[in-house]
Amino acid sequence: MSKIYLTTAIPYVNGAPHIGHALDYLLADTYARYEKGKGNEVRLQAGTDEHGNKIYKKAEELGVDTKQYVDDNSKKFQDFIKKLGVENTDYIRTTDEAHKNRCQEIWKRIESHIYKNSYEGWYCEGCERFVTDKEYQENNGTCPDHNKPYQKLSEENYYFRIADFKDQIKNAIESRELEILPDFRAKEMLKLLEDSPDVSISRPKEQLSWGVPVPGDESQVMYVWIDALSNYITVLGYPDQDISEWWPAAAQFVGKDILRFHSIIWPAMLLALGLPLPKRIVSHGFVLSNGQKMSKSIGNVVDPIEVLESKGLPAFRYYFLRHADTFSDSDFTWDKYNEAYNNELANDLGNLVQRLANLCKKQDLAGLKFDPVRDSEYDKTMDEFYFSRAFDYVWSKVQDLNKEIDEKKPWELNKFPERHDELVTVLTSLAEKLLQVAYLLEPFLPETAKAIESVFTAEKILPPATPLFPKN
Ligand code: MSP
C-alpha cells in the first residue's frame, strides 16, 4: 500500500464558486477514488486562497469587513466541495494562523535566494501577477484574461532569484522527474522558464495590507502567490512537522492559466527549501459557456449550484468528467447537458439497469456475490490521468452490454421452459458484467456505482423503485 498525496488549486474567495472551480475538485477526487480502489492510502487537500488586493478591494467595495467576507465565501466553497461528493481529507484557509506562521518560516528558509530591489513595471490584479514589458506590449497594455489595463507599479520589493534554480527545474521537467501533463504544456513551460526573470515576491504594506507580513520587515507583505503556493506543504504541517510521509505529491491538479506559477515559482521554492519536487502537475483546460469564456459582462456565467440541483450530482459529475476532455477546453450549454443526461445517462445506463434488473426479477434471481477485477486498459488510461478517455472506455462497456442484451434476447428464451438454465446463465453473466462496469464507474460516479451494486448483490434482485436517471 502506498501513500498518495493529491492537491487542488485553492480558489480566490472574491466571489462564489463558479463552474470552472469544479474541475480541479472532480479530477482530483476521481483520481483519489481510483487510487483508494487500488488499496492505496490517499490524502487530498483542498482550500481557499484568501489574501491579496483583489479580495481586499472586493470586500471594501461591498462595505463589509474583510475577514467576515472571506469567512462567508470560504464557507461557500466548503459547501460546494461537499455537494460535489469530494472526499478531501484536509481543508486549508490561507488566513489560518498556522498557515501564516508557517509561511513566514518558509520565507526565512529561502532568504538566501531573496534580495531587495526596486520594481518598476506592470501588474494585473485579476491575475495577481507581474507582467514583463514584452507581455505588456504584446497585449497592448490590457490583460486579455481580465480585460483590464495593467497597473503601473513603481516600488521597493523583495525578489526571489529564480536564476538560481532554472537549470535544475529545466532538467527536472525534461527528464520527467517533474512530469507536466499534458506534454504540450510541458513544452510551453520550458519556453517560459527560459525567459523567466527573477520574480518580485512582496509588495509595500501601503499597497497591499491584506496578506502575510514579511518576517523582519514590517513595511512589506508577501506576494499572494508565495503565500498561496505554500499551502500545499503548510497543510501537511511544514516546517513544524516531518512531511516526508506524504510529500512529494503524486499529482497536483491545476487549471492551465495557473500552470506557470506551479512550473516555475513553486519548484524554485521547493528547491530552495531542499524539498523534493512534486511527481506530477496535471493541468486541465477551461470550461467555456456556449463556446465563450465565461464573463459577467457577456452574461454567460453558469451557476454550478443551479446545474447541480437541476439533475443531481451523478449527472453533474458525468458531464464534467466525460464531456470535459481532461486536457483541452470544453463547453457547457444547457442543451448539451440535457442531451448527455437523456441520451446517455438515462438511455444507456439507467435503462440498462432497469431492464436487466426486471429480467432478473422475473426469474426470481438472487443477488450475486461480486468479485471485481482490475482492468489493465482502464488502469493504463487512468494512470495517464486521461480521465475523460477512461470514462469513454467504461461507457463503451455500457453500450456493449446493451448490445449483448439485444442480441441474446432473454425475453425470447423465457418463452421456452426447457431453456430456463440457459436463461439464468445469460442473465447472471450480464449482471456480473454490469457489476464490473459499476466497479469501474466508482471513481467517476460513486453514488451510481453503489446503487447498481446494491441492486445486483441484494438478497433478491429487484429494479430500483425509481429509475436511476428519470427522464425529464
Ligand atoms: N488562487 C489561485 C490558485 C492558487 S493555487 C496555489 C487561483 N484561483 S482561481 O479562483 O482563479 O482559480 C482556481 C482554479 O479554478 C484554477 O485551477 C483555475 O484554473 C480554475 N478555473 C478557473 N476558471 C476556470 C474555468 N472556466 N474552467 C476550468 N477551470 C477554471 O487561480
Side-chain angles (χ1 to χ4, degrees), residues 8-14 18-24 49 54 77 126 225 228-232 253-258 262 284-288 294:
T8 58
I10 52 173
Y12 295 120
V13 288
N14 59 329
H18 66 69
I19 205 105
H21 290 135
L23 227 50
D24 285 315
D49 189 353
K54 183 157 65 172
F77 278 90
W225 272 97
L229 289 163
S230 302
N231 95 85
Y232 299 129
F253 293 87
V254 302
K256 63 176 186 181
D257 57 329
I258 59 167
H262 290 81
H284 61 78
F286 261 42
V287 179
L288 308 175
M294 265 179 265

Side-chain angles (χ1 to χ4, degrees), residues 100-116:
K100 291 196 279 185
N101 293 333
R102 287 170 180 161
C103 272
Q104 292 185 319
E105 277 307 310
I106 288 173
W107 180 287
K108 287 189 211 155
R109 288 179 186 219
I110 63 174
E111 220 153 28
S112 59
H113 303 278
I114 294 176
Y115 59 92
K116 208 168 187 181

